Amino acid sequence: DYCQGPADSTGYLLTENELAAKTFDVVGQCTPSHVGKAKVIPCSSNQKEYHLTGCRPKVSCMSDAAAEGYDVTETDLYILPFQFDVKATCKSGYVGTAAVTPCDEPNEAYVLSGCTKDNVVCKRPTTTEGYTVKENSLTQSLFDVTAECKAGYKGSATVIACSPTGGDYILAGCKKVEKCLSPPNADGYKLDEVDLRMDRLMVHARCSDGYLGRAVISPCEGHGKP
């Protein structure tokens, strides 16, 4: 007696070594689209089909095509046996924590949640004195503002974005250069003002022709004073 292969072997990979009933040898395994443990049962009478059992289709989800604001990586859409592997992050311009929920039924879409469009816009500070500012983007999640210290100011300009709830962005790092002024009356002196900044004051002085003595320079007592 001989067995015959089944008319429908969907989900099975078969190796038919021997179809004679007495020495029946058919090896089966599940295809990648199915799960389980394949079992091959010999036929019960001559020229009948042998039986296949043990493999069932994997259940898969569909993509959530309607969701906006997500960058998605779909590694595996099958939800059985626990193979579902889809990762998501919020796209640029969106805020929150992305979450992926598998579907409950075959061919339903998985659900993306957690990301919302960033509507928070940072505001320009009331004063930007001492800074040259370039505003490229004021949206909080895409914040891009650069700054430099203006002439007459020193330091390294930094820009800090507003909080996630909004408000002014912050400018920091630039300080006004404190300078001394030339004396209002320098009769009798010849002055060489190399640098009038208070922290590095450098002024050379000597007595003018017709004057005697040793010229002495004393620093000013504060910004804008001689």
Side-chain angles (χ1 to χ4, degrees):
D1 292 347
Y2 286 86
C3 296
Q4 292 186 3
D8 184 6
S9 61
T10 302
Y12 295 85
L13 293 174
L14 302 172
T15 303
E16 296 178 336
N17 299 309
E18 179 58 67
L19 293 178
K22 290 185 177 180
T23 55
F24 183 80
D25 182 12
V26 176
V27 179
Q29 60 182 5
C30 299
T31 62
S33 63
H34 285 60
V35 294
K37 186 176 182 180
K39 185 177 181 180
V40 183
I41 303 172
C43 59
S44 56
S45 58
N46 186 40
Q47 300 301 318
K48 296 294 184 180
E49 295 180 357
Y50 57 82
H51 299 285
L52 300 172
T53 185
C55 296
R56 64 185 187 279
K58 289 181 179 179
V59 179
S60 63
C61 297
M62 303 290 288
S63 300
D64 188 354
E68 295 181 357
Y70 299 87
D71 286 320
V72 180
T73 302
E74 295 178 343
T75 302
D76 199 331
L77 292 177
Y78 292 114
I79 58 175
L80 288 175
F82 309 109
Q83 287 181 261
F84 184 80
D85 185 6
V86 176
K87 294 180 175 60
T89 56
C90 296
K91 272 187 177 180
S92 179
Y94 289 75
V95 293
T97 302
V100 184
T101 304
C103 60
D104 293 322
E105 299 293 335
N107 298 320
E108 286 186 350
Y110 59 78
V111 178
L112 294 169
S113 61
C115 298
T116 56
K117 192 169 183 62
D118 184 8
N119 294 317
V120 177
V121 178
C122 297
K123 297 178 181 178
R124 189 183 185 93
T126 305
T127 176
T128 59
E129 183 181 354
Y131 297 87
T132 299
V133 180
K134 182 180 181 182
E135 296 176 342
N136 301 306
S137 173
L138 292 177
T139 304
Q140 206 274 340
S141 62
L142 298 173
F143 186 77
D144 182 11
V145 175
T146 58
E148 296 178 349
C149 296
K150 278 186 176 180
Y153 290 77
K154 64 179 180 178
S156 179
T158 58
V159 185
I160 303 171
C162 62
S163 72
T165 57
D168 295 351
Y169 62 82
I170 299 172
L171 295 170
C174 296
K175 293 183 179 180
K176 192 173 186 67
V177 176
E178 297 182 329
K179 290 184 177 182
C180 296
L181 296 181
S182 302
N185 183 4
D187 291 345
Y189 296 89
K190 288 187 176 180
L191 301 176
D192 179 12
E193 296 174 339
V194 179
D195 196 333
L196 292 178
R197 288 175 290 181
M198 289 181 62
D199 59 346
R200 58 187 70 184
L201 183 68
M202 184 181 294
V203 178
H204 303 298
R206 61 188 178 86
C207 297
S208 297
D209 295 340
Y211 288 79
L212 299 175
R214 181 184 178 190
V216 176
I217 298 295
S218 298
C220 60
E221 295 180 354
H223 174 67
K225 293 184 178 182

